[in-house]
Each structure stands twice: as structure tokens, then as C-alpha cells.
């Protein structure tokens, strides 16, 4: 399989069959998007944490703390793509990916919020 990454093409071969290299490509893309989102939030002085659309307030990475206190301290914004109802297995998988993204974002941004108080 050939994947274009900028001007570079990556070819992954396994034995005689070509296999997609989705883990390497997706991981670095997600990490870049995450890093960009954190840097943009800091540049805008936006200390709001990401919350998931569920039946109760869930702030990924900080479920063990009082979410209403964190909301009052930092503010929250809901992850754009999260849903409060999951109908299919793909919805659950997508929700897990979004949760992990929000968790990493929140863990990186909360100290910034805490110190700016």
C-alpha cells in the first residue's frame, strides 16, 4: 500500500502481500491534531476542557473529581462529534476515539487552567 504523507510516499510490505499501515499514519495525524488543538487553546487563552455529550457531565480524565467544580473553574466545551446516544458498534468505537482525544487534551490543558487562576 502506498500512502502519501506530504511529498513522501510510504510503502509497507508484509511478505508477499501489501498491508495498510494505518496505525503509524493515523497515530501521527491524531497526535498532530491534538497538539495543534492544545496550542491553539493556549494561544487564545481558552482554558475550557472538553466534555462528552452523555446523560451526565463527563470530563474525560477527570471523572474522579467533581465535574461541576471543574466546570466552574475552567469551563467546558462539548466535543463536536460526541453523541449522547450510541446506536451501532461503530458509534461506540468512534466515541472511544473521541474520549481518548478529549482525555489527552484535558490532561494537557488542566494544569494551564489551574495555574492561570
Amino acid at each position: 500500500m502506498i500512502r502519501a504523507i506530504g511529498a513522501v510516499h510510504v510503502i509497507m510490505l508484509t511478505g508477499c502481500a501489501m498491508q495498510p499501515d494505518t496505525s503509524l499514519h493515523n497515530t501521527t495525524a491524531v497526535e498532530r491534531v491534538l497538539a495543534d488543538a492544545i496550542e491553539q487553546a493556549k494561544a487564545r487563552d481558552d482554558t475550557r476542557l472538553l466534555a462528552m455529550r452523555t446523560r451526565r457531565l463527563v470530563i474525560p480524565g477527570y471523572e474522579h473529581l467533581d465535574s461541576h467544580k471543574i466546570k466552574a473553574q475552567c469551563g467546558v466545551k462539548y466535543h463536536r462529534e460526541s453523541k449522547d446516544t450510541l446506536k451501532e458498534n461503530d458509534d461506540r468505537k468512534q466515541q472511544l476515539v473521541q474520549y481518548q482525544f478529549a482525555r489527552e487534551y484535558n490532561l494537557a490543558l488542566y494544569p494551564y487552567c489551574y495555574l492561570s487562576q
Side-chain angles (χ1 to χ4, degrees):
M1 169 162 222
I2 301 174
R3 288 203 177 265
I5 303 175
V8 179
H9 296 285
V10 178
I11 300 173
M12 298 297 296
L13 297 175
T14 306
C16 295
M18 294 173 58
Q19 299 291 323
D21 183 25
T22 56
S23 62
L24 176 65
H25 186 265
N26 289 341
T27 301
T28 57
V30 170
E31 288 173 350
R32 257 181 291 167
V33 170
L34 178 63
D36 288 346
I38 292 167
E39 290 305 314
Q40 288 175 11
K42 287 180 179 179
R44 289 189 314 263
D45 202 28
D46 183 1
T47 61
R48 295 177 295 164
L49 301 179
L50 285 176
M52 303 302 289
R53 295 183 198 280
T54 60
R55 296 182 188 264
R56 65 178 179 87
L57 180 60
V58 174
I59 302 173
Y62 293 99
E63 295 87 355
H64 62 285
L65 300 177
D66 184 354
S67 59
H68 295 290
K69 285 183 181 178
I70 293 174
K71 181 179 179 180
Q73 180 183 13
C74 300
V76 296
K77 55 186 171 185
Y78 287 93
H79 194 292
R80 284 183 290 212
E81 299 170 14
S82 69
K83 302 176 184 178
D84 64 346
T85 56
L86 306 174
K87 297 180 181 179
E88 297 177 12
N89 200 25
D90 287 341
D91 290 341
R92 294 182 204 316
K93 289 177 186 176
Q94 191 63 23
Q95 184 82 347
L96 179 60
V97 170
Q98 294 163 1
Y99 175 88
Q100 291 170 336
F101 180 90
R103 182 180 183 278
E104 294 301 318
Y105 178 90
N106 291 344
L107 290 174
L109 207 58
Y110 182 72
Y112 180 75
C113 164
Y114 185 78
L115 293 174
S116 68
Q117 300 295 317

